[in-house]
Amino acid sequence: MTMKAKILALTAIAALTACQQPNSLPKPAESSEIRVVGSSTVYPFSTKVAQEFKNITGHNVVVEATGSGGGHKLFCNGSGPGTPDVTNSSRRQKKSEYELCKKNGVEEIVEVKIGYDGIVLANARNAPNMDMSLRDIYMAFAKNVPISDTDCTLRPNPHTKWSEVNSELPAIKIEAYGPPPTSGTRDAFVEIAMEGGAKEISCLADLAETDEDAFEVAAHTLREDGFWIDGGENDNALVQTLVNTPSAIGVFGYSFLDQNIDKIKGARIEGIEPQFENIVAGDYKVSRSLYFYLKKDNVEFTPGLKEYALEFTSDQAVGEGGYLAEIGLVPLRGPERTEIREDVKQLRAYSQ
């Protein structure tokens, strides 16, 4: 090989080596679709937004109903391509879940409240009408109940009929199909309805002040003797179970009652019906906030992710008269809605 040929060969090798330096490596592959996991209660709202967003932009959004707890676990498993971009939740993210995210490198999370939902106890349209107090709910579904209002010695729940809980309720079997432990609806139900009912019993109210852990065990532990049945995350299947079993009660989000009002009806809670106006006004006692959580790091890898979140928080989606209100979402007030949309625009991470 001539000297000139050697020089040309060395020049080519140097150029190739320069192209292989770390700052020239290709970026990680982009995700081809937006992936959403989480709450079965938020699922129909998220699915509706996904459909509208695809019609507008062409971006594909895949929504899975894994339950709130299952969604946070998947969401917090890491960031980047191949991990969920969003998790829906029918409760606020727990501190332990937030810390799991941090541990796994999910450093910046945008918390987005989308509206409100009522937790309903519903039965078939041809079943007896129900009007129950929070105390009735606790006494029907707690695994162990006090001997009396003044004696908090706990005993296995002896009640088998609603009339044994409250003589004004029908003499039919207590049979409830409710959400499983992974569900945010289950968390909200025990925290709002069961705790609220337990505090109607004077000795348990005292216990809540003196021993919070013991009170939580008494208030949160549901029956395991067949009178409470974990119904899974498929609320549509639960509606069909109620139609086929008129003596049964189902526990789920208001939107499913709203969408199936021709098949089922909601129980009154302390005289108040689970209706849109009553939830907005705060009169219906068993209600909660709904959320989704956005992984800020994934905006870089997932085309359309920020735009999806902006569509979800737009007035045409979550505003009064928006397309999500039409399927049962109870909207936020205007100023709060504006503030939350600004958080999304700025991708403002929250902290606990």
Side-chain angles (χ1 to χ4, degrees):
M1 180 181 292
T2 67
M3 182 60 68
K4 183 177 180 181
K6 287 181 179 179
I7 292 171
L8 289 172
L10 289 171
T11 302
I13 291 169
L16 180 61
T17 302
C19 289
Q20 292 176 336
Q21 293 303 306
N23 60 3
S24 300
L25 290 175
K27 291 182 179 180
E30 291 184 340
S31 297
S32 60
E33 58 193 16
I34 299 166
R35 185 182 173 204
V36 181
V37 295
S39 166
S40 62
T41 299
V42 182
Y43 174 83
F45 305 131
S46 189
T47 300
K48 178 65 174 172
V49 175
Q51 292 169 347
E52 296 289 335
F53 186 65
K54 185 171 184 177
N55 290 340
I56 297 167
T57 68
H59 285 295
N60 194 38
V61 184
V62 176
V63 186
E64 302 172 65
T66 63
S68 295
H72 284 291
K73 185 176 181 180
L74 290 167
F75 179 82
C76 291
N77 201 36
S79 60
T83 65
D85 302 297
V86 171
T87 189
N88 297 324
S89 189
S90 54
R91 56 164 172 78
R92 197 161 192 248
Q93 187 178 52
K94 295 178 180 178
K95 185 173 179 59
S96 60
E97 293 163 340
Y98 181 80
E99 290 171 349
L100 176 64
C101 274
K102 295 290 186 181
K103 178 182 176 183
N104 290 333
V106 184
E107 292 291 339
E108 294 187 285
I109 305 165
V110 183
E111 180 183 67
V112 185
K113 187 194 291 188
I114 61 167
Y116 302 100
D117 184 38
I119 300 172
V120 303
L121 288 84
N123 55 7
R125 296 215 51 95
N126 61 343
N129 294 325
M130 302 286 281
D131 187 345
M132 59 186 75
S133 66
L134 295 183
R135 178 194 171 101
D136 295 336
I137 292 171
Y138 171 77
M139 294 299 287
F141 299 133
K143 180 178 180 179
N144 299 299
V145 296
I147 289 176
S148 70
D149 274 23
T150 56
D151 184 350
C152 264
T153 303
L154 296 178
R155 57 174 176 164
N157 195 327
H159 304 126
T160 61
K161 295 181 179 180
W162 284 102
S163 57
E164 295 170 3
V165 170
N166 181 340
S167 60
E168 295 183 4
L169 292 173
I172 57 174
K173 179 185 176 183
I174 296 171
E175 183 179 6
Y177 291 85
T182 55
S183 170
T185 301
R186 165 79 157 253
D187 292 335
F189 176 74
V190 297
E191 289 170 10
I192 301 171
M194 295 291 287
E195 275 195 20
K199 288 177 180 177
E200 294 295 319
I201 298 168
S202 57
C203 65
L204 284 179
D206 293 340
L207 184 64
E209 297 294 328
T210 59
D211 191 338
E212 187 176 336
D213 290 340
F215 171 77
E216 186 171 306
V217 170
H220 286 205
T221 308
L222 296 171
R223 299 178 75 159
E224 299 171 344
D225 52 3
F227 293 93
W228 172 279
I229 303 155
D230 287 344
E233 294 286 0
N234 189 335
D235 291 314
N236 290 316
L238 178 53
V239 168
Q240 193 56 48
T241 298
L242 299 182
V243 171
N244 296 336
T245 316
S247 61
I249 292 283
V251 179
F252 41 74
Y254 163 76
S255 63
F256 285 94
L257 171 64
D258 184 62
Q259 293 167 40
N260 294 279
I261 200 68
D262 59 324
K263 301 173 186 174
I264 57 177
K265 59 187 176 183
R268 291 172 179 258
I269 304 298
E270 300 186 356
I272 304 297
E273 292 186 19
Q275 293 179 342
F276 185 93
E277 295 79 8
N278 294 334
I279 296 169
V280 171
D283 295 332
Y284 183 73
K285 288 192 174 183
V286 193
S287 58
R288 38 82 187 270
S289 302
L290 301 179
Y291 301 85
F292 72 81
Y293 291 83
L294 170 69
K295 196 176 294 176
K296 184 175 178 179
D297 284 351
N298 279 27
V299 170
E300 178 183 353
F301 306 108
T302 308
L305 176 56
K306 181 179 178 180
E307 290 73 19
Y308 165 79
L310 287 171
E311 173 63 26
F312 210 140
T313 54
S314 66
D315 284 344
Q316 64 262 27
V318 295
E320 294 181 18
Y323 60 75
L324 294 185
E326 292 176 0
I327 60 171
L329 181 70
V330 179
L332 302 170
R333 301 296 185 186
E336 186 178 17
R337 199 164 64 243
T338 300
E339 182 180 346
I340 288 168
R341 183 169 169 80
E342 190 62 28
D343 286 343
V344 175
K345 284 182 179 178
Q346 302 298 327
L347 293 177
R348 191 175 291 135
Y350 94 112
S351 60
Q352 285 201 3

